[in-house]
Amino acid sequence: MSDMSNRKPETGAFFPRDRSWHPPAYTPGYKTSVLRSPQKALLSLDGTLSEITGPVFGHSILGELDNDLIHNFARAGESAIGERIIVHGRVLDERARPVPGALLEFWQANAGGRYRHKKESYLAPLDPNFGGCGRAITGEDGTYAFRTVKPGPYPWPNGVNDWRPAHIHFSVFGHGFAQRLITQMYFEGDPMIWKCPIIATIPDRAAIEQLIAPLDWGNTIPMDARAYKFDIVLRGRRSTLFENRLEGN
Amino acid sequence: MVQSLDTLKETPSQTAGPYVHIGLTPNFCDIAGVYQNDLGTAMVNDNTLGQRITVTGQVFDGTGTPMKDVLIEIWQADAAGLYNSPSEMRGSADPNFTGWGRSAADGTTGDYRFETIKPGRVPFRDGRKMAPHISFWIVARGINLGLNTRMYFADETAANAEDPVLARIEHRIRVPTLIAEGDGKTYRFDIHLQGEKETVFFDI
């Protein structure tokens, strides 16, 4: 856990989540959701201390290669096979303020669409130099970056011929447990995005577009790696100016 | 025309998928050597204050089948009721307790497990004490947006009776879905996503 004592403490409750922007629980086109979606209404709970607070992780947890998926599983002197890319962006809150100290964890398939997981049986081969996981913590300005290879699409048993578009999974911690978020990043121009039942769980096209990372030519490193930009927005906090808070209680 | 509020929309959620372990518990799924330890596996150390407990259980789908690919995170106060968080303004939490844990369900049985301590009481927004509780966040294949719930303790009858959150559950028959039975050492908290025994989930 990090020392953030120089920062103004954040004690406000979070803005309510817009659940018409997120995917609903029951989305039958994504078959597994049918039996894994609550049928009763959620009980609304305005933020208590249990939701306003959350774990914050210090940079000391990070190893040197944690944000380099090309090398963090590779044998010495070798690297993963695939399109070399940099993924970078900012973590902001809904009030457009940077979120420093946010832990991001990412995971993905290799360039052929194969995950390194015992439950995975796709016939595309594993890359002996690619594990598929990484993590980073945002700086004071909310920025993060990691290096990887572009994942391939892969087929999955949902419809008879369903394929996931190329994607990278993201898990994000803000500063409060109520900000906890898992999502997926997609790549600009991928025609598979509009065929995917998991993406189609999101009702609003503008919300889907928020998950599509543009090619960032300006940040491409010549003769090395192309760049994609992916900004993430976490829930914002209410101002506490007129709230009857319990500081010092 | 009026001024713009200058607010952004939250990034929409997507399912964690079946291979969530690769990213969040890589050692658990045999990806060794990238991280020394999986994050969230050790909440306590030898110096942690409070009553040691094990919290375990299963998560069931709408047919009553245990979910073997579920991943759970918990967040709780220390034995004195303080959170180990920069947003905790009431005092310093036990430095030997993280308050946060992560457990991937066993791939064969679906059991999850946390070694932790029994939390102290934390005030509600109006100052009334909430009963000891642990906040749960559940993600898995088929869950589009992480599910939030709370676990309370069956041996805290008096505190549970005055808990302001439990008091808001209109259908009293559902209150027991949030209460874990235990012997003071091990508490079992099963979570039912759907159906007759459906656990109460919160929009927090």
Side-chain angles (χ1 to χ4, degrees):
Chain A
M1 309 279 154
S2 79
D3 180 1
M4 307 216 331
S5 55
N6 291 330
R7 209 164 280 137
K8 189 180 171 203
E10 299 170 302
T11 57
F14 291 98
F15 296 155
R17 206 160 227 167
D18 180 355
R19 288 177 180 268
S20 66
W21 183 252
H22 287 283
Y26 177 75
T27 49
Y30 174 25
K31 292 183 180 178
T32 316
S33 76
V34 172
L35 287 168
R36 294 184 169 196
S37 44
Q39 294 166 323
K40 298 181 172 67
L42 303 180
L43 181 66
S44 296
L45 177 59
D46 190 23
T48 74
L49 281 164
S50 307
E51 291 78 37
I52 290 168
T53 57
V56 173
F57 302 88
H59 290 262
S60 61
I61 68 165
L62 299 179
E64 203 181 334
L65 294 177
D66 281 9
N67 67 347
D68 184 352
L69 283 68
I70 292 180
H71 296 108
N72 70 9
F73 193 77
R75 290 179 287 237
E78 300 187 13
S79 58
I81 291 173
E83 299 179 36
R84 295 161 64 90
I85 59 170
I86 287 160
V87 178
H88 75 104
R90 286 186 302 164
V91 179
L92 306 169
D93 71 14
E94 288 169 296
R95 298 163 84 177
R97 301 182 305 185
V99 182
L103 173 66
L104 305 177
E105 297 162 285
F106 358 91
W107 67 100
Q108 63 169 89
N110 69 22
R114 174 71 186 267
Y115 282 97
R116 186 173 287 279
H117 193 285
K118 55 187 169 239
K119 290 272 175 71
E120 156 76 284
S121 58
Y122 183 32
L123 44 76
L126 287 170
D127 175 348
N129 289 315
F130 187 75
C133 62
R135 58 190 179 186
I137 293 178
T138 57
E140 283 299 316
D141 56 357
T143 58
Y144 75 92
F146 62 98
R147 174 193 284 273
T148 187
V149 293
K150 190 176 175 189
Y154 75 95
W156 59 300
N158 187 64
V160 171
N161 189 26
D162 279 339
W163 291 69
R164 297 302 323 281
H167 63 278
I168 300 176
H169 297 264
F170 277 70
S171 162
V172 192
F173 287 83
H175 301 166
F177 202 55
Q179 286 177 305
R180 199 73 184 80
L181 182 72
I182 280 182
T183 189
Q184 302 182 28
M185 180 199 111
Y186 306 102
F187 292 85
E188 178 183 7
D190 187 342
M192 312 270 293
I193 290 170
W194 309 106
K195 298 182 184 299
C196 174
I198 287 179
I199 295 175
T201 62
I202 301 175
D204 190 321
R205 188 182 171 105
I208 293 172
E209 287 171 348
Q210 199 175 349
L211 298 181
I212 305 175
L215 177 64
D216 179 2
W217 199 247
N219 277 305
T220 288
I221 304 173
M223 306 302 286
D224 182 348
R226 291 175 306 147
Y228 282 87
K229 191 227 34 162
F230 186 55
D231 288 344
I232 295 165
V233 180
L234 299 180
R235 296 169 68 179
R237 284 178 195 263
R238 293 205 301 262
S239 153
T240 55
L241 286 177
F242 288 88
E243 294 209 32
N244 183 21
R245 297 281 311 145
L246 298 165
E247 275 107 32
N249 185 343
Chain B
M1 291 293 283
V2 298
Q3 291 188 9
S4 163
L5 280 170
D6 293 329
T7 50
L8 304 173
K9 294 298 288 184
E10 187 187 8
T11 296
S13 175
Q14 290 270 262
T15 179
Y19 309 129
V20 60
H21 314 101
I22 294 173
L24 302 193
T25 55
N27 291 292
F28 172 85
C29 72
D30 303 327
I31 298 177
V34 181
Y35 310 145
Q36 200 167 17
N37 303 111
D38 288 339
L39 218 52
T41 47
M43 300 178 69
V44 298
N45 63 37
D46 289 346
N47 299 316
T48 305
L49 303 172
Q51 175 188 342
R52 304 301 168 106
I53 59 169
T54 299
V55 176
T56 187
Q58 292 165 299
V59 183
F60 298 93
D61 72 12
T63 69
T65 304
M67 289 165 52
K68 297 165 183 174
D69 52 11
V70 70
L71 183 128
I72 296 178
E73 292 182 6
I74 62 172
W75 175 239
Q76 63 167 96
D78 69 9
L82 293 168
Y83 281 104
N84 191 344
S85 165
S87 300
E88 172 59 83
M89 304 309 295
R90 298 168 299 148
S92 292
D94 181 354
N96 294 302
F97 182 60
T98 66
W100 174 77
R102 175 183 277 168
S103 173
D106 182 281
T108 307
T109 63
D111 291 325
Y112 73 83
R113 187 181 183 87
F114 294 97
E115 303 298 337
T116 183
I117 53 126
K118 198 169 184 186
R121 297 182 71 173
V122 174
F124 191 60
R125 294 184 69 83
D126 60 9
R128 282 181 290 165
K129 293 265 186 209
M130 295 189 280
H133 65 277
I134 298 177
S135 298
F136 275 63
W137 185 69
I138 301 148
V139 293
R141 174 173 66 101
I143 297 178
N144 291 324
L145 174 60
L147 295 168
N148 293 99
T149 188
R150 285 184 173 198
M151 179 195 121
Y152 288 82
F153 296 84
D155 49 16
E156 296 283 348
T157 317
N160 292 343
E162 61 185 24
D163 182 84
V165 173
L166 292 178
R168 292 202 36 216
I169 300 174
E170 177 189 354
H171 303 99
R172 303 309 292 166
I173 194 170
R174 302 192 66 205
V175 172
T177 69
L178 300 185
I179 298 180
E181 299 286 342
D183 59 5
K185 286 184 182 151
T186 301
Y187 291 85
R188 184 170 182 91
F189 185 51
D190 287 333
I191 295 163
H192 298 266
L193 295 195
Q194 195 184 85
E196 245 175 73
K197 295 190 250 179
E198 187 172 311
T199 300
V200 173
F201 296 105
F202 295 92
D203 184 6
I204 63 170

